[in-house]
Amino acid sequence: MIVILKNHPDEAQLENLITWLTDQDIQVHPTVGASQTILGLVGDTSKIDMDLIAALDIVEDVKRVQEPYKNANRKFHPDDTVIKIGDTQVGGGNLTLIAGPCSVESEEQIVEIARAVKKSGATMLRGGAFKPRSSPYAFQGMHIEGIRLLLKAKEATGLPIVTEIMDGSQLPLFEDVDVLQVGARNMQNYALLRAVGTTDKPVLLKRGLSATYEDLLMSAEYIMAGGNNKVILCERGIRTFETFTRNTLDISCVPVLRQLTHLPIIIDPSHASGKANLVPPLAQAAVAAGADGLLIEVHNDPAHAKCDGPQSITPKAFDTLAKRLRNIKAACEAAE
Ligand code: PEP
Ligand code: MN
């Protein structure tokens, strides 16, 4: 349920309303927007008398929210969420460029790539330390050493770091990590979602291979229900009948999610396509469709990458692409 307040509501009356609701085990999430102040109500609102609330002096309107996701719902929070990470911001018209290798492989590799992508305008560095591989025999990542090397690359460039967490018990190892990635395979690992929901770190939540928009938003809701509202959604391709590409990039997710939620939307064309030559056109389409940013795998030696080499672009290709993406964004803004 949402309660839309009149402008400049009487503070004592507002306090009374909030106390009356919380006494009935309803959580109240106030959002002060540019044009309206809204109270988002979470809990069993079926027992709440809507007419009683609507009759209050301070209340403009009361609406039931049909969708099962509440905190993630745009009706709860009409303005876009903007997440500050170090000196950069995700959402709210900023173009976020998260770039780096699939996995951290050595100090030289990660620092060299970090320096190159930073020069080209990347706003964050990615790199896997714990890798969820389809085969238990494939390279599983450098684990804690990988995180240590990412921190070295951060020290060298100032770029905030994004890396995947696979289990809540790993949280102490991620203390200095800027953004926790929850991978596609773990999108419905509810214990992990609850664990990252207890932190105040931004979470990059990747869409599961066969997850609907509602599934994705319900997973975001798990994180937000724990009090962590810093969720960034990431589309990385879904499973379809097509096998030419690794997955199928669902570009429709950008306008659809934009309508359903206030959370930032990032596109990962690397895992979506599985092919380096397809990454630039898909990335360009994502920016034109209004995505808040991109997550792109960049490797200094794709042919010898320990993971996802075929879909990794070189630092030089990333440089060209980043310039084009900025131009496309500017052209879209000018066309508005
Ligand atoms: C990754 O980002 O390297 C990764 C494993 O992604 P996904 O969970 O989307 O497959
Ligand atoms: Mn990868």
Side-chain angles (χ1 to χ4, degrees):
M1 190 184 279
I2 58 167
V3 179
I4 302 163
L5 299 176
K6 287 186 182 153
N7 282 339
H8 314 296
D10 178 81
E11 293 212 356
Q13 284 188 42
L14 180 56
E15 193 105 324
N16 277 344
L17 173 60
I18 294 176
T19 311
W20 180 71
L21 290 164
T22 46
D23 282 351
Q24 298 179 79
D25 285 335
I26 301 295
Q27 287 172 32
V28 182
H29 299 266
T31 304
V32 183
S35 56
Q36 283 177 327
T37 299
I38 285 173
L39 303 180
L41 311 189
V42 182
D44 181 8
T45 55
S46 60
K47 59 190 180 205
I48 302 288
D49 186 343
M50 273 176 83
D51 296 337
L52 208 68
I53 300 178
L56 295 174
D57 271 356
I58 55 170
V59 173
E60 177 85 38
D61 202 2
V62 185
K63 289 181 188 157
R64 290 223 176 260
V65 175
Q66 306 300 340
E67 297 82 10
Y69 46 93
K70 310 293 177 188
N71 288 289
N73 202 312
R74 185 167 292 274
K75 290 176 187 157
F76 259 50
H77 192 288
D79 297 333
D80 286 350
T81 281
V82 182
I83 302 172
K84 192 168 162 19
I85 304 165
D87 294 334
T88 185
Q89 290 192 330
V90 182
N94 299 288
L95 181 63
T96 294
L97 295 179
I98 306 170
C102 183
S103 324
V104 181
E105 297 172 12
S106 68
E107 179 170 342
E108 300 68 45
Q109 175 238 24
I110 193 69
V111 173
E112 184 183 325
I113 297 171
R115 286 211 165 100
V117 297
K118 158 103 187 193
K119 230 171 153 184
S120 304
T123 54
M124 287 196 261
L125 175 69
R126 65 148 284 146
F130 293 91
K131 293 304 304 175
R133 303 301 300 277
S134 299
S135 165
Y137 310 116
F139 175 59
Q140 305 284 307
M142 293 181 79
H143 296 178
I144 180 67
E145 178 64 4
I147 294 186
R148 198 181 68 78
L149 299 181
L150 279 166
L151 291 169
K152 285 215 157 189
K154 176 180 177 176
E155 205 177 282
T157 59
L159 288 177
I161 54 175
V162 183
T163 192
E164 178 159 353
I165 181 164
M166 286 175 55
D167 192 290
S169 64
Q170 296 170 339
L171 270 174
L173 309 178
F174 284 67
E175 209 149 289
D176 299 319
V177 167
D178 298 283
V179 179
L180 306 174
Q181 175 171 318
V182 172
R185 290 157 190 81
N186 267 323
M187 190 205 81
Q188 286 180 315
N189 177 343
Y190 298 118
L192 176 61
L193 299 176
R194 284 219 188 269
V196 298
T198 63
T199 73
D200 63 353
K201 286 188 189 294
V203 178
L204 182 93
L205 177 64
K206 296 189 107 182
R207 182 180 182 185
L209 276 67
S210 54
T212 63
Y213 300 137
E214 188 167 300
D215 293 335
L216 174 62
L217 292 172
M218 288 311 289
S219 292
E221 192 74 18
Y222 258 91
I223 300 169
M224 299 173 91
N228 185 353
N229 291 323
K230 297 182 208 162
V231 181
I232 303 163
L233 304 173
C234 180
E235 153 68 25
R236 43 76 75 205
I238 50 173
R239 277 269 162 92
T240 67
F241 52 80
E242 183 56 72
T243 54
F244 185 86
T245 46
R246 184 174 177 183
N247 292 289
T248 296
L249 179 63
D250 176 20
I251 203 84
S252 312
C253 83
V254 180
V256 174
L257 290 172
R258 186 69 76 214
Q259 188 183 322
L260 301 180
T261 183
H262 50 88
L263 298 172
I265 307 152
I266 298 284
I267 297 289
D268 168 356
S270 309
H271 293 88
S273 66
K275 293 185 158 104
N277 68 320
L278 299 182
V279 168
L282 295 182
Q284 290 164 208
V287 173
D292 293 295
L294 292 148
L295 181 151
I296 295 177
E297 286 191 339
V298 178
H299 200 287
N300 51 354
D301 186 5
H304 296 102
K306 288 200 171 164
C307 184
D308 287 348
Q311 68 193 36
S312 299
I313 63 172
T314 60
K316 189 163 172 281
F318 178 74
D319 188 65
T320 308
L321 176 59
K323 281 190 192 111
R324 270 201 227 151
L325 297 178
R326 286 190 290 269
N327 288 341
I328 291 170
K329 177 138 178 83
C332 291
E333 282 166 0
E336 264 171 27

